[in-house]
């Protein structure tokens, strides 16, 4: 939508082909229906949230940063608000309002929108540089074509990898599509006992052969297969190439060092000295976690709190400061928020998004081999690259 608007705003005649019955189906579900439009992070912070090919985005994000996007949406009638972590949302908390704003922009700029129209192929006449867009019912020629078809995650919204097929047919190298921003399954079965429990303000660390790969504070969710939540989704993009065997440690009390936590634990054990251990940790942990933490620490849940030895307390502290889990694998790609892989950035001009192989052919958004962490970074990548492509035709 932003690519079509940017192209039409220059005075071009633009046709937007949409195979769904309405625009923005994937945008509608982003941010749990609220649409985390972008992030106010500085350029350095922004590119630090792009694990693959961040340099490719320097030009497009620099030319159309989050501030420009927010101003554009505000000017077109969409009030926004900034929340924790620089996340930008529509003030109404409705992703439908973002779609409505972009739709108005398309209408006012004269873009012709063709709904329920699936493109089956894009063909290029290298002699005349004319581009044919082929659908089930027509073949129309254009001076330029922008492919903005997304990846393969959330396929029900229309992201079924069409753009990858178009790119390959036109000679482009397409890196394999993999899940990114996706939950993790664990070898341990106990997370299913905590299914639905969310932990806030915990620290998640990840290691491979004692080498730390990840260490961040945030939110984590236990599921029937393992773990999810913002921390886990970000980690998944870092370990996606080799997830099996990655060791996780969850610091349940990151605000306290071991000595401080020990003093806190001693106070609780004294407070509940006549209770069994399974009933003595309620001030420290959610009720459902106590049996699991005690089991991992090797402490009998029926043991009286006033009978806990120093060694047992030390074992309990170790679990509280580093609850252990082992990654078995990332979840399937149909559970991923975004797709890793796509059209190789080596074959795309980073300033214009034009193919280096086919003149007049452009790519933008998730169809490219770029992806970011959660927090509005992926939508900003889509908006910036889309704007660059639209402005360049």
């Amino acid at each position: 939508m932003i690519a079509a608007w940017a192209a039409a705003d220059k005075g071009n005649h633009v046709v937007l082909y949409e195979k769904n019955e309405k625009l923005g189906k994937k945008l509608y579900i982003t941010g749990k229906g609220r649409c985390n439009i972008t992030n106010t992070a500085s350029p350095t912070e922004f590119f630090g949230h792009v694990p693959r090919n961040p340099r490719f985005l320097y030009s497009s994000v620099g030319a159309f940063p989050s501030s420009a996007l927010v101003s554009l949406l505000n000017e077109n009638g969409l009030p926004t608000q900034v929340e924790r972590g620089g996340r930008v949302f529509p003030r109404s908390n409705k992703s439908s309002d973002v779609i409505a704003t972009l739709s108005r922009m398309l209408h006012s700029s004269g873009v012709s929108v063709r709904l329920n129209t699936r493109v089956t192929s894009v063909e290029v006449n290298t002699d005349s540089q004319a581009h044919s867009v082929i659908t089930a019912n027509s073949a129309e020629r254009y001076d330029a074509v922008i492919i903005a078809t997304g990846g393969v995650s959330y396929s029900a919204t229309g992201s079924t990898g069409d753009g990858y097929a178009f790119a390959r047919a036109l000679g482009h190298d397409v890196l394999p599509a993999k899940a990114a921003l996706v939950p993790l399954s664990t070898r341990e079965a106990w997370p299913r006992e905590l299914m639905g429990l969310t932990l806030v303000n915990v620290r998640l660390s990840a290691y491979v052969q004692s080498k730390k790969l990840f260490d961040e504070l945030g939110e984590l969710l236990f599921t029937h297969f393992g773990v999810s939540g913002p921390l886990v989704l970000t980690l998944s993009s870092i370990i996606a190439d080799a997830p099996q065997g990655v060791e996780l440690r969850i610091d349940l009390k990151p605000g306290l060092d071991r000595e401080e936590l020990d003093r806190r634990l001693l106070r609780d054990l004294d407070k509940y000295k006549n209770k069994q251990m399974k009933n003595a940790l309620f001030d420290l942990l959610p009720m459902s976690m106590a049996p699991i933490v005690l089991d991992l620490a090797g402490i009998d849940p029926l043991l009286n709190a006033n009978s806990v030895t120093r060694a047992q307390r030390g074992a309990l502290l170790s679990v509280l400061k580093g609850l252990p889990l082992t990654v078995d694998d990332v979840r399937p790609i149909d559970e991923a928020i975004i797709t890793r892989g796509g059209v190789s950035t080596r074959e795309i001009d980073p300033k214009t998004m034009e193919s280096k192989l086919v003149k007049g052919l452009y790519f933008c958004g998730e169809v490219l081999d770029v992806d970011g962490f959660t927090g509005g970074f992926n939508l900003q990548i889509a908006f910036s690259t889309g704007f660059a492509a639209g402005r360049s035709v």
Side-chain angles (χ1 to χ4, degrees):
M1 286 188 280
I2 203 74
W5 171 82
D9 193 56
K10 279 185 61 181
N12 293 299
H13 169 65
V14 179
V15 177
L16 190 159
Y17 290 85
E18 170 59 68
K19 67 178 179 181
N20 290 318
E21 75 283 2
K22 59 185 177 181
L23 294 171
K25 285 188 73 172
K26 193 168 187 181
L27 194 62
Y28 184 77
I29 63 173
T30 60
K32 298 179 180 178
R34 297 177 60 217
C35 191
N36 182 184
I37 304 165
T38 184
N39 195 289
T40 60
S42 68
T44 300
E45 293 172 329
F46 186 96
F47 295 117
H49 285 78
V50 180
R52 265 164 297 282
N53 300 317
R55 291 178 63 86
F56 174 78
L57 298 169
Y58 285 2
S59 294
S60 60
V61 173
F64 192 64
S66 62
S67 56
L69 171 64
V70 170
S71 294
L72 178 65
L73 295 174
N74 291 166
E75 291 165 4
N76 282 276
L78 182 75
T80 53
Q81 60 192 12
V82 181
E83 299 184 9
R84 178 179 55 85
R87 292 169 170 81
V88 180
F89 291 87
R91 193 176 298 168
S92 66
N93 289 317
K94 295 179 180 179
S95 57
S96 57
D97 287 344
V98 180
I99 299 169
T101 300
L102 292 170
S103 297
R104 286 196 304 271
M105 291 167 60
L106 292 175
H107 179 75
S108 63
S109 60
V111 174
S112 174
V113 178
R114 300 186 185 177
L115 301 175
N116 297 303
T117 306
R118 178 170 185 170
V119 174
T120 56
S121 66
V122 176
E123 298 177 1
V124 176
N125 183 321
T126 54
D127 295 328
S128 65
Q129 297 301 332
H131 299 65
S132 295
V133 174
I134 314 298
T135 69
N137 301 313
S138 68
E140 298 182 73
R141 305 184 78 182
Y142 299 94
D143 297 323
V145 171
I146 302 173
I147 295 176
T149 50
V152 292
S153 59
Y154 290 110
S155 59
T157 65
S159 298
T160 53
D162 297 5
Y164 300 151
F166 300 158
R168 289 192 188 96
L170 294 170
H172 275 276
D173 181 27
V174 179
L175 282 74
K178 296 182 179 181
L181 300 184
V182 65
L184 301 174
S185 58
T186 59
R187 291 179 183 172
E188 296 83 356
W190 60 258
R192 73 181 56 151
E193 299 176 40
L194 302 177
M195 184 174 62
L197 175 65
T198 296
L199 301 178
V200 297
N201 297 323
V202 296
R203 182 172 291 279
L204 177 65
S205 304
Y207 302 83
V208 171
Q209 297 179 345
S210 299
K211 180 183 178 182
K212 186 181 287 188
L213 301 178
F214 180 83
D215 185 41
E216 282 194 17
L217 187 73
E219 187 175 307
L220 180 145
L221 169 70
F222 291 107
T223 70
H224 67 283
F225 51 76
V227 284
S228 187
L231 284 174
V232 172
L233 297 180
T234 297
L235 171 62
S236 72
S237 287
I238 295 172
I239 66 172
D241 289 326
Q244 291 84 5
V246 173
E247 297 177 359
L248 306 182
R249 294 293 181 271
I250 305 169
D251 185 346
L252 299 171
K253 298 295 175 182
L256 302 174
D257 63 26
R258 191 180 174 96
E259 290 183 2
E260 291 170 333
L261 183 57
D262 191 23
R263 290 194 292 270
R264 166 71 188 278
L265 183 57
L266 281 168
R267 289 197 301 270
D268 283 4
L269 293 178
D270 182 62
K271 180 179 178 181
Y272 298 110
K273 59 187 176 183
N274 295 319
K275 291 184 177 294
Q276 296 175 332
M277 282 300 291
K278 65 179 182 179
N279 298 318
L281 300 177
F282 293 160
D283 292 350
L284 271 175
L285 298 169
M287 184 180 300
S288 58
M289 286 202 73
I292 290 166
V293 168
L294 290 170
D295 181 62
L296 292 171
I299 299 174
D300 184 348
L302 301 181
L303 180 70
N304 268 19
N306 60 9
S307 299
V308 173
T309 66
R310 183 174 182 179
Q312 288 173 321
R313 200 174 75 245
L316 182 54
L317 286 169
S318 294
V319 175
L320 291 171
K321 293 295 290 181
L323 187 70
L325 280 169
T326 309
V327 177
D328 186 46
D329 207 346
V330 297
R331 294 293 289 175
I333 200 165
D334 59 2
E335 296 181 28
I337 293 177
I338 60 165
T339 310
R340 284 186 58 202
V343 178
S344 172
T345 56
R346 295 191 302 270
E347 299 172 350
I348 306 298
D349 185 326
K351 292 183 179 180
T352 64
M353 298 299 130
E354 186 175 21
S355 165
K356 294 178 180 179
L357 308 181
V358 181
K359 186 175 176 58
L361 179 68
Y362 299 77
F363 295 89
C364 63
E366 199 175 340
V367 73
L368 292 165
D369 182 29
V370 288
D371 58 273
F373 297 147
T374 58
F377 300 99
N378 288 291
L379 279 185
Q380 182 61 50
I381 290 170
F383 285 125
S384 292
T385 56
F387 184 85
R391 277 290 187 261
S392 301
V393 296

